[in-house]
């Protein structure tokens, strides 16, 4: 068991779990003991953010639940293992079991920021489906996301993800095992982002709409009159077929009361105007319209009178 403190200390404990009794599932009453095996003190004494044990290929050890259910790939037990310790200021890799320093990267010295979130993610290749690498993804207090190779700790990419003023978004950010992440943009909304070129956050969705076959013909056969507000003439549209073309029964000149849409002429529109305007526009004239008309005529007469008086006065001044 690995434990890190806020003062930059890392403790490795060896757990002694007593075996279960023969023929029984329960352990004896003897308690589990934790024996201190190693203590590591970081020089900069920054708080420890995360600790991960790497196998011979630089991949993190599977979770206990996945290992017990055979849901994860077995770790490589041939090569030497290592432990990755991530603090707020730097990342450091130690070899096991001697716990000697192997490599490190000082993030604060290079970028001037502090680490807030750390996770080991698997990045699959786009060109080759069978190739994948394990990298270290971290989020800083400035809202930037960095990706480093493991266990070499070489910088790979650097993105500006979250605004540095969004403190709640940085505190709520979490990474997935496949190079994606989530963070809150409001108390009830979260945003998703991806660092992987293969597992992108492209919205893949579709909406299937099944229209009844007879609904289109029924809507086209209806020929309601257009609204005749302010005296505009009504035009009756001809029914169309399902393909969008005029009905051939009407285009051949048969005796119908509805003229085809494609053969509308100015004469038909004028006739519709003379026939419909006299009937439909009478109801549009109101008392308010009459008052406005009378008011405008009275104002125009007053303007003419004032203009005539002004001209006579100008003439009198010139004669003097």
């Amino acid at each position: 068991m690995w434990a890190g403190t806020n003062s930059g200390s890392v403790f490795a404990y060896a757990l002694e779990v007593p075996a279960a009794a023969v023929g029984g599932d329960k352990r004896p009453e003897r308690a589990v003991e934790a024996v201190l095996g190693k203590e590591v003190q970081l020089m900069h004494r920054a708080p420890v953010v995360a600790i991960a044990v790497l196998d011979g290929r630089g991949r993190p050890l599977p979770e206990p639940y996945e290992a017990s259910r055979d849901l994860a790939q077995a770790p490589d037990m041939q090569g030497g293992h290592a432990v990755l310790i991530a603090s707020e200021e730097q990342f450091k890799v130690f070899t096991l079991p001697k716990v000697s320093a192997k490599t490190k990267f000082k993030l604060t010295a290079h970028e001037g920021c502090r680490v807030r979130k750390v996770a080991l993610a698997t990045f699959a290749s786009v060109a080759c489906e069978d190739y994948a690498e394990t990298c270290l993804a971290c989020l800083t207090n400035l809202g930037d996301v960095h990706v480093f190779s493991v266990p070499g700790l070489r910088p790979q990419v650097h993105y500006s993800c979250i605004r540095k003023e969004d403190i709640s978004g940085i505190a709520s950010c979490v990474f997935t095992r496949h190079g994606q992440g989530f963070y809150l943009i409001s108390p009830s909304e979260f945003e998703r982002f991806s660092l992987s070129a293969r597992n992108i956050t492209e919205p893949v969705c579709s909406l299937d709409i099944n229209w009844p076959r007879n609904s289109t013909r029924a809507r086209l056969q209806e020929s309601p009159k257009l609204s005749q507000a302010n005296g505009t003439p009504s035009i009756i549209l001809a029914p169309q077929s399902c393909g969008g073309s005029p009905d051939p029964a009407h285009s051949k000149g048969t005796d119908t009361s509805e003229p085809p849409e494609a053969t509308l002429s100015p004469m038909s529109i004028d006739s519709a105007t003379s026939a419909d305007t006299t009937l439909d526009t009478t109801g549009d004239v109101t008392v308010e319209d009459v008052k406005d008309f009378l008011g405008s005529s009275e104002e125009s007469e007053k303007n003419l009178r004032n203009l005539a008086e002004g001209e006579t006065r100008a003439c009198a001044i010139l004669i003097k």
Side-chain angles (χ1 to χ4, degrees):
M1 183 182 67
W2 295 84
T5 64
N6 289 334
S7 60
S9 300
V10 178
F11 301 95
Y13 291 91
L15 300 180
E16 295 183 358
V17 182
V22 179
D25 297 336
K26 295 183 179 180
R27 300 195 310 267
E29 296 181 357
R30 196 175 65 143
V32 178
E33 297 181 0
V35 180
L36 180 62
K38 188 68 175 179
E39 179 181 356
V40 179
Q41 179 63 52
L42 302 178
M43 297 299 295
H44 55 282
R45 297 183 180 274
V48 177
V49 178
I51 301 173
V53 179
L54 309 177
D55 63 0
R57 297 182 180 179
R59 296 176 301 184
L61 298 182
E63 297 293 335
Y65 178 79
E66 294 180 347
S68 62
R69 300 289 180 175
D70 294 334
L71 300 177
Q73 187 178 2
D76 184 9
M77 305 301 295
Q78 300 298 328
H81 288 197
V83 58
L84 172 64
I85 300 176
S87 66
E88 288 188 353
E89 297 183 3
Q90 70 177 13
F91 310 112
K92 203 166 186 177
V93 177
F94 296 87
T95 60
L96 293 177
K98 295 183 179 180
V99 192
S100 59
K102 183 178 180 180
T103 180
K104 65 179 179 179
F105 183 85
K106 295 183 179 181
L107 185 65
T108 303
H110 291 81
E111 303 293 338
C113 54
R114 292 183 176 272
V115 179
R116 288 292 177 261
K117 299 288 182 176
V118 170
L120 289 171
T122 302
F123 294 88
S125 175
V126 178
C128 182
E129 297 183 357
D130 299 333
Y131 181 77
E133 291 184 0
T134 302
C135 297
L136 175 67
C138 76
L139 176 69
T140 66
N141 60 337
L142 301 180
D144 299 336
V145 176
H146 299 260
V147 177
F148 300 90
S149 63
V150 176
L153 298 180
R154 291 186 299 270
Q156 300 296 322
V157 292
H158 173 206
Y159 299 109
S160 297
C161 183
I162 310 174
R163 297 181 296 105
K164 62 180 180 180
E165 296 84 8
D166 190 0
I167 301 176
S168 62
I170 296 175
S172 62
C173 180
V174 292
F175 292 100
T176 65
R177 299 181 181 179
H178 301 286
Q180 299 182 6
F182 298 86
Y183 69 94
L184 291 174
I185 58 176
S186 71
S188 60
E189 296 175 309
F190 66 88
E191 190 168 61
R192 174 186 175 191
F193 64 91
S194 177
L195 303 173
S196 175
R198 185 171 178 178
N199 298 321
I200 59 177
T201 58
E202 180 182 3
V204 181
C205 58
S206 62
L207 180 62
D208 297 332
I209 301 177
N210 296 324
W211 291 97
R213 296 182 178 180
N214 298 328
S215 62
T216 306
R217 180 180 294 274
R219 289 198 307 269
L220 292 175
Q221 286 179 355
E222 296 177 358
S223 58
K225 290 186 178 181
L226 299 178
S227 60
Q228 298 182 3
N230 298 327
T232 55
S234 63
I235 300 176
I236 302 175
L237 300 179
Q240 296 180 354
S241 62
C242 296
S245 59
D247 195 348
H250 295 271
S251 61
K252 290 182 180 179
T254 57
D255 296 336
T256 57
S257 60
E258 298 176 359
E261 182 182 2
T263 58
L264 288 177
S265 61
M267 297 180 63
S268 63
I269 297 177
D270 294 339
S271 62
T273 305
S274 61
D276 296 336
T277 306
T278 56
L279 296 177
D280 297 335
T281 58
T282 54
D284 296 336
V285 180
T286 60
V287 179
E288 300 295 334
D289 297 337
V290 175
K291 290 182 179 180
D292 294 339
F293 177 75
L294 294 178
S296 61
S297 61
E298 292 177 358
E299 291 179 358
S300 61
E301 292 178 359
K302 290 181 180 180
N303 292 334
L304 291 175
R305 292 175 183 174
N306 295 334
L307 181 60
E309 292 178 358
E311 290 179 354
T312 54
R313 291 178 182 176
C315 295
I317 292 172
L318 290 175
I319 292 172
K320 291 179 178 179

